[in-house]
Amino acid sequence: MRKHLLTTLLCLVCSFVGVKAQEDAIGEQYSSLSADSIVAEVGLIPESLDANVDSLFRTWHVQYFSKIDEYCHDDVENVYFPDSIYVQRLERLPRIISLPYNKVVRDCIDLYAGRRRDLVRYMLGMADFYFPIIEQILDKHGLPLELKYLAVVESALNPVALSRVGACGLWQFMLPTGKSYGLEINSLVDERRDPLKATEAACQYFKDMYAIYGDWNLVLAAYNCGPGNVNKAIRRSGGKNNFWDIFPYLPRETRSYVPLFIAANYIMNYYCDHNICPMQTNLPLATDTVMVNNMLHLQQVAELLHLDIEQLRALNPQYKRDIIPGNAKPSVLKLPAAETYAFVGKEDTVHLYRAEELLANCIPLNATDRAMSHTATKEKITHVVASGENLYTIANRYGVTAKDIRKWNGLKSNRVPRGKRLKLYVDNGGVSFASNQSPKDKEKQPVTTAQTTSKEKPGDVKTADEKTAGKNFISYKVKPGDSLYSISKKYPGVTTSLLQKANGLTGTGLRPGQVLKIPVG
């Protein structure tokens, strides 16, 4: 309290002595920004600032591992400081990118320190986990470390953040841009959600844009709206190449982007002066990775290693359906360091555990076949729209674009009614999904059904069991160690449920020497 009174008195004195001259100088330096334009544009904030903080606080990081720092003074109200204090603090930050101060920047700082204090608390907690990862990659590429604060603006450090128009991950890549920078995006895997690989892609983008503009503020603007819009703003400004000079000519949503980046630099360093306490977390900062060479479900790993499934998902956010397609190519599984050796020791057991149940409808594609055929993983499916879904959420689920879905289905808008059947052509990531639901189950929930031929119409979709009617059979003699799942993997299009139906089995138990009928043809 005493500190706050002294601060308030200092502010009152400074407001009459010397500060006005400094503020006038700031105003002259950015005279191109009229008061009207500032008021009009600051209201345009990124979606990250509209994030549902209550939802973020219920994530695995917070729900299971949060703690309170009893020595930090937290408050619900922001602390007032004169402009001169902000100028001095920004000048003290170690930086390569210029961090100027003006009315727009002040308003953005006030936004973080005022209305979005809870979000700042969350981001400060997540920074302990994600900033070391990001800093290491930025340093490897020789890029300014303060670029890490762009992830604050883009996603509020939420690796699975999804925007209303389909941008995803810490760095909010759109699907075409992500793919152009080497990120794998399909119905199983979305590497935009992988902090390591997405940061590598972001670094490549930063380097490409800096080679064009040679100015970091323009690079940031290009990251938000694309180089085409930045080039257009430069032309309209008469060839000027300073962000603040082209400010009025940029898209409206981009004008507050650089000021928000500067504000993020400020608030992530001076949060304590504004009586904001970080959300303290006991995250497993020590992690290690293992390579998986067969299809695997995260639930198999979680149950046998006694890990929380939400913890595994948080460490491996790129796997959208909890399935690691190691059958298609060696795939990374990140684990708490203490559990790595346990996984290696139990790997064979992990792969067999509950495989018939958790991977029952999964048909793995052989890695060799996938390598030989570029179209091997292309699959035509039908998606039935569920309540609350739109083209962007559906597109993100399957690793396609909303534009593609509109084209495939002759749609003129992104609005789709509940129950509508959409035809999609997806990359299944090396694992095809065959539905074995009953008609009654299909009525209860939306389904995605694999189709085997492009001639079938959406209204003619059949379940995998129905498609086996009239097929021929071959015999297979069960060997020691065989299971329905391991046998089904030997025959494309065959699932454990098909084997059970073809052989009249009520369970999954087998005995060596038993002869099974395998539906083929």
Side-chain angles (χ1 to χ4, degrees), residues 177 181 205-206 208-213 218-235 246 249-251 254:
T177 306
Y181 278 87
Y205 189 94
F206 294 146
D208 289 347
M209 292 301 102
Y210 191 77
I212 296 173
Y213 298 111
L218 293 184
V219 170
L220 297 175
Y223 193 92
N224 177 255
C225 66
N229 283 312
V230 172
N231 294 340
K232 186 186 299 182
I234 291 173
R235 289 195 301 270
I246 69 171
Y249 308 102
L250 288 166
T254 306

Side-chain angles (χ1 to χ4, degrees), residues 7 10 40 53 77 82 90 157 159 173 180 232 324 326 329 349 353 401 483 500 506 520:
T7 301
L10 177 63
V53 181
E77 297 292 335
L90 285 170
L157 296 181
F173 276 108
S180 70
K232 186 186 299 182
I324 304 175
K329 68 175 184 179
T349 305
Y353 177 74
T401 66
S483 67
Q500 287 176 308
T506 56
V520 295

Side-chain angles (χ1 to χ4, degrees), residues 162-168 173-176 179 184-190 192-193 320-321 381 383-386 388-409 411 413-414 416 422-427 448:
L162 177 66
S163 78
R164 287 185 287 268
V165 295
C168 187
F173 276 108
M174 294 295 288
L175 187 143
K179 284 190 172 182
E184 182 178 5
I185 306 169
N186 53 52
S187 63
L188 273 188
V189 178
D190 191 340
R192 294 176 297 174
R193 297 161 46 144
K320 297 191 290 186
R321 298 191 184 184
I381 66 172
H383 176 85
V384 182
V385 179
E389 286 187 322
N390 58 49
L391 286 196
Y392 291 112
T393 57
I394 296 169
N396 179 70
R397 176 177 177 180
Y398 296 107
V400 297
T401 66
K403 181 180 178 181
D404 287 336
I405 298 178
R406 289 197 302 271
K407 180 178 69 175
W408 294 331
N409 294 275
L411 303 175
S413 74
N414 292 326
V416 282
L422 296 176
K423 177 175 61 178
L424 307 177
Y425 298 89
V426 305
D427 180 345
T448 303

Side-chain angles (χ1 to χ4, degrees), residues 43-92:
L44 291 172
I45 60 176
E47 288 184 43
S48 62
L49 279 165
D50 284 330
N52 185 334
V53 181
D54 289 338
S55 176
L56 292 176
F57 280 150
R58 289 194 296 269
T59 59
W60 166 80
H61 304 83
V62 185
Q63 188 174 354
Y64 296 98
F65 294 91
S66 61
K67 61 180 181 179
I68 299 173
D69 186 347
E70 59 189 52
Y71 300 105
C72 181
H73 176 72
D74 200 88
D75 205 342
V76 296
E77 297 292 335
N78 190 16
V79 181
Y80 171 80
F81 295 104
D83 290 336
S84 59
I85 299 297
Y86 288 119
V87 172
Q88 293 168 13
R89 288 174 179 171
L90 285 170
E91 287 177 348
R92 287 200 299 265

